[in-house]
Amino acid sequence: VEDEIDPMLDPVMEKQIIHKGKKMFINVSDKMMDYEASFMMYFITRLPNPSFSPELQAKTTLIDFTVTQKGLEEQLLGKVIGKEQKALEEQLNRVLEEVNSNTKSLMQLDASLLERLTSNS
């Protein structure tokens, strides 16, 4: 497949199915053809970065199976950053808990000091 698909396939891609009794038909190139509900159509292209028209993109699903070193590096970097951010987040939570604990201890010591000072006077 290049950048365009033959327009005679539009009825198939748009699923313009005609029901006659229990049978299903589809009109392809002015011919009525039997249609099977489980029918699937796949297009394959060797274009490195295909750019299809918005109309064609609306009728199809594009899956890019291209594997490049840059793509693999980006995926790996995403995984590493996810792990590191999780570790940093856990470290932040530990530090915040420690700060809260120290603040409570400071308040208790401050209250204890004030109590001692007022009782000795």
Side-chain angles (χ1 to χ4, degrees):
V1 172
E2 295 300 320
D3 290 337
E4 295 292 322
I5 306 280
D6 192 345
M8 80 172 192
L9 293 174
D10 281 348
V12 177
M13 291 190 298
E14 294 172 4
K15 293 191 176 185
Q16 296 176 351
I17 302 166
I18 301 165
H19 295 275
K20 287 188 179 177
K22 292 184 179 183
K23 290 195 138 202
M24 294 186 290
F25 299 93
I26 196 158
N27 190 359
V28 178
S29 186
D30 296 329
K31 291 183 183 177
M32 292 298 282
M33 303 180 84
D34 290 337
Y35 181 80
E36 177 63 37
S38 62
F39 172 76
M40 298 178 87
M41 182 167 42
Y42 298 92
F43 295 110
I44 299 171
T45 183
R46 300 222 185 271
L47 297 174
N49 190 10
S51 60
F52 298 118
S53 68
E55 295 83 16
L56 183 58
Q57 288 182 7
K59 297 174 193 174
T60 59
T61 301
L62 178 66
I63 301 173
D64 187 1
F65 288 106
T66 305
V67 177
T68 63
Q69 184 170 349
K70 181 174 172 56
L72 291 173
E73 286 173 358
E74 288 176 2
Q75 287 181 8
L76 182 60
L77 181 61
K79 296 274 187 188
V80 168
I81 288 173
K83 294 272 187 191
E84 286 184 4
Q85 283 181 345
K86 189 173 182 179
L88 288 174
E89 186 177 339
E90 290 171 359
Q91 183 180 3
L92 175 64
N93 288 336
R94 284 194 305 270
V95 168
L96 288 175
E97 286 176 18
E98 195 175 310
V99 167
N100 285 338
S101 171
N102 289 340
T103 303
K104 287 179 185 178
S105 296
L106 182 63
M107 290 175 70
Q108 289 174 349
L109 291 171
D110 196 27
S112 173
L113 179 62
L114 284 173
E115 185 181 324
R116 285 183 186 172
L117 286 174
T118 55
S119 66
N120 287 339
S121 308

